[in-house]
Amino acid sequence: MKVTEIDIHRVTLPCDEARAYELLHYHDLTRRTIYVARTDTGLTGLGESERVESREVLDRYIGSNPFDWLGDETSLGLGTAMYDLMGKAAGVPVYKLFGQKYRSWVPVAAWTVSTHPDRMARAVSAYAGQGHTWMKFHLSPFENVIDQTEAMQEVAPKGFKLHYDFTMHGTEDHMPALLERLSEYEIAGCFEDPLPGEDIDGYIELRQRSRLPIVLHHFPTGATWEVLRRPADAYMLGHSKIGDAIRKAGLFSAGDSPFMLQNTGSDITRAMNAHMMAAFPSARFHFVNATTEVSSERFVTQPLNPVNGFIRVPEGPGLGVELDMNEVRRLERIEPAAKPRFILVCRYDSGTTLYARPDPENPHFMVRPDWSRDLMPMSFAAPLKTEYWDDDGSDEFTAMMARLEREGAVLEGGGS
């Protein structure tokens, strides 16, 4: 059996209308690449990624036997397609290619961005309605996390939990005190990356002090030696190649350390996540795949939807999902929404107003503005309210944007 060709489909998955406004101010997760790998035996395997792999990488798969890619370390998207082909060729679900099954239902979390407390509350209501019981979001110093938490707890069904991602700190907050304050809320669930990744001693101490689980994602030695020191309660492998995830799963299993996968994508990626999580012994923390739940569109014939926070692991040959080609062709014709040009307007209770613009050189500006070095030290719990000043064509907007391009940030009022 050999791979004879790989079809590529670039699709646009529009954001769910209720959350499109805040999502488009942060990221563009709407563009996906679908791979359809075909063999000389008539099988098709599905994979996906955000961007298109290079011609050089594609050519490495064409002409090969899919079983050459067991433990693939080259491409997560194309590796997924190879595993789909292997499962179909052997007549078994993909999880059997990793080992014995440890669970038939795999925990999953929804994902969103940090925004106004009212919008955060709407996201919780929407995701709970989809069958989720966890929601992850990256904190932003442009929002007050206490106000957000109170708004979300107000609407959350009992048992719904928040996965707070601190993106390795970056603020002036005293983290033990902030985690203790958040832990008082029933909706609080766990804390990811509250410290810089290299501060393993700090993590060991913080884990002892925190009432809720600490999750470590960014590892100073690649999720190897530091894990043996037990700096966290659970671990995340983000966007890992299949072979790398297999090796790390063995280490986590040896220490009976819970871990999760965070591979973003649609139902194809969701299915692959579920198969791997089913076969890795200690992969019992909720995985994140981010794109599926924020999109208004699906392009498989049998979408994988959560039930009480769990995804049922498919039992058919391969991944267990098939394309709806009519939907794929329709989504190929959709143009992605333009990313808005806007100014952040943060109004502090003191009467001060901060104006800032996203840094085009820092794609993570909305959660780590300190990487741009244009702002003063900030806090996740500062008494402020933020709105987006979208480009309205006014002279005032044009003048402020020009000033921000010169100065980086503007502070007005409050004794200035």
Side-chain angles (χ1 to χ4, degrees):
M1 179 173 60
K2 291 185 177 180
V3 177
T4 56
E5 59 182 318
I6 299 175
D7 298 335
I8 297 173
H9 302 275
R10 286 286 284 168
V11 299
T12 298
L13 302 177
C15 293
D16 176 73
E17 187 176 350
R19 293 184 299 284
Y21 183 75
E22 58 263 30
L23 289 166
L24 288 174
H25 282 78
Y26 269 72
H27 303 289
D28 181 8
L29 295 178
T30 62
R31 294 288 279 165
R32 304 299 301 169
T33 300
I34 303 170
Y35 303 106
V36 182
R38 304 183 188 278
T39 69
D40 56 0
T41 59
L43 295 177
T44 59
L46 305 180
E48 70 162 318
S49 62
E50 181 181 358
R51 297 177 179 84
V52 182
E53 293 285 8
S54 69
R55 186 72 254 173
E56 179 184 0
V57 170
L58 289 163
D59 286 344
R60 294 179 63 182
Y61 290 84
I62 295 174
S64 68
N65 186 311
F67 285 90
D68 293 339
W69 299 97
L70 278 167
D72 186 355
E73 299 178 359
T74 299
S75 166
L76 179 56
L78 292 170
T80 296
M82 296 302 107
Y83 269 81
D84 195 18
L85 287 172
M86 286 186 267
K88 288 172 179 174
V92 299
V94 160
Y95 68 77
K96 288 184 179 289
L97 303 173
F98 293 105
Q100 298 182 39
K101 183 172 69 172
Y102 283 84
R103 54 197 63 85
S104 295
W105 291 85
V106 176
V108 62
W111 171 91
T112 195
V113 297
S114 181
T115 187
H116 189 279
D118 290 346
R119 291 184 177 275
M120 300 295 290
R122 287 203 289 272
V124 167
S125 296
Y127 289 143
Q130 288 182 13
H132 287 284
T133 58
W134 278 89
M135 185 182 82
K136 168 178 165 165
F137 73 102
H138 288 259
L139 279 71
S140 170
F142 297 114
E143 303 288 347
N144 181 297
V145 70
I146 304 301
D147 293 345
Q148 291 174 320
T149 299
E150 291 180 348
M152 289 186 280
Q153 182 161 288
E154 185 91 14
V155 301
K158 193 169 184 63
F160 193 97
K161 297 294 183 181
L162 296 177
H163 177 140
Y164 298 91
D165 187 346
F166 292 84
T167 320
M168 299 170 289
H169 204 343
T171 69
E172 64 179 359
D173 297 292
H174 181 242
M175 202 53 68
L178 180 57
L179 299 196
E180 179 65 23
R181 188 175 178 189
L182 289 171
S183 297
E184 297 173 0
Y185 292 93
E186 184 179 359
I187 195 174
C190 65
F191 306 121
E192 177 188 340
D193 285 354
L195 298 173
E198 61 273 13
D199 188 7
I200 295 301
D201 288 333
Y203 270 103
I204 292 170
E205 180 182 347
L206 190 61
R207 183 189 179 197
Q208 294 171 343
R209 298 175 67 170
S210 176
R211 285 191 276 161
L212 294 176
I214 301 295
V215 181
L216 185 59
H217 176 193
H218 291 90
F219 305 87
T221 62
T224 53
W225 303 108
E226 68 275 79
V227 176
L228 302 178
R229 298 186 62 196
R230 297 185 176 274
D233 299 284
Y235 302 89
M236 173 190 289
L237 296 180
H239 321 290
S240 295
K241 303 291 196 308
I242 296 167
D244 191 41
I246 292 171
R247 285 192 300 276
K248 302 297 171 55
L251 175 61
F252 294 134
S253 175
D256 194 30
S257 300
F259 82 98
M260 59 185 284
L261 296 173
Q262 180 174 272
N263 296 329
T264 59
S266 69
D267 283 284
I268 296 172
T269 299
R270 179 175 274 188
M272 189 61 174
N273 284 339
H275 282 288
M276 289 194 286
M277 296 276 290
F280 296 157
S282 64
R284 52 182 179 266
F285 216 63
H286 50 263
F287 77 84
V288 175
N289 83 285
T291 303
T292 308
E293 63 268 17
V294 304
S295 172
S296 62
E297 309 290 343
R298 310 288 279 276
F299 53 74
V300 297
T301 56
Q302 293 181 308
L304 302 177
N305 296 319
V307 179
N308 197 35
F310 293 89
I311 295 289
R312 176 78 182 189
V313 182
E315 293 291 344
L319 289 174
V321 294
E322 298 297 337
L323 292 181
D324 180 337
M325 285 308 301
N326 289 331
E327 280 299 292
V328 170
R329 294 187 187 98
R330 183 180 69 84
L331 295 171
E332 284 183 299
R333 296 191 295 268
I334 297 177
E335 290 295 324
K339 192 167 179 61
R341 186 168 182 257
F342 68 100
I343 294 169
L344 286 154
V345 183
C346 306
R347 305 186 191 281
Y348 290 82
D349 288 359
S350 64
T352 300
T353 300
L354 166 67
Y355 298 90
R357 69 177 182 108
D359 180 356
E361 302 301 319
N362 176 8
H364 301 289
F365 179 83
M366 297 291 280
V367 294
R368 287 300 302 264
D370 59 299
W371 287 345
S372 298
R373 304 182 185 277
D374 282 335
L375 299 176
M376 70 287 189
M378 300 184 73
S379 166
F380 292 126
L384 58 76
K385 291 179 173 56
T386 296
E387 61 188 37
Y388 307 138
W389 182 4
D390 294 311
D391 188 351
D392 53 12
S394 66
D395 292 340
E396 292 80 7
F397 180 92
T398 301
M400 180 57 74
M401 183 61 80
R403 187 176 175 189
L404 291 173
E405 289 170 353
R406 293 192 308 270
E407 302 178 24
V410 172
L411 278 175
E412 292 183 346
S416 60

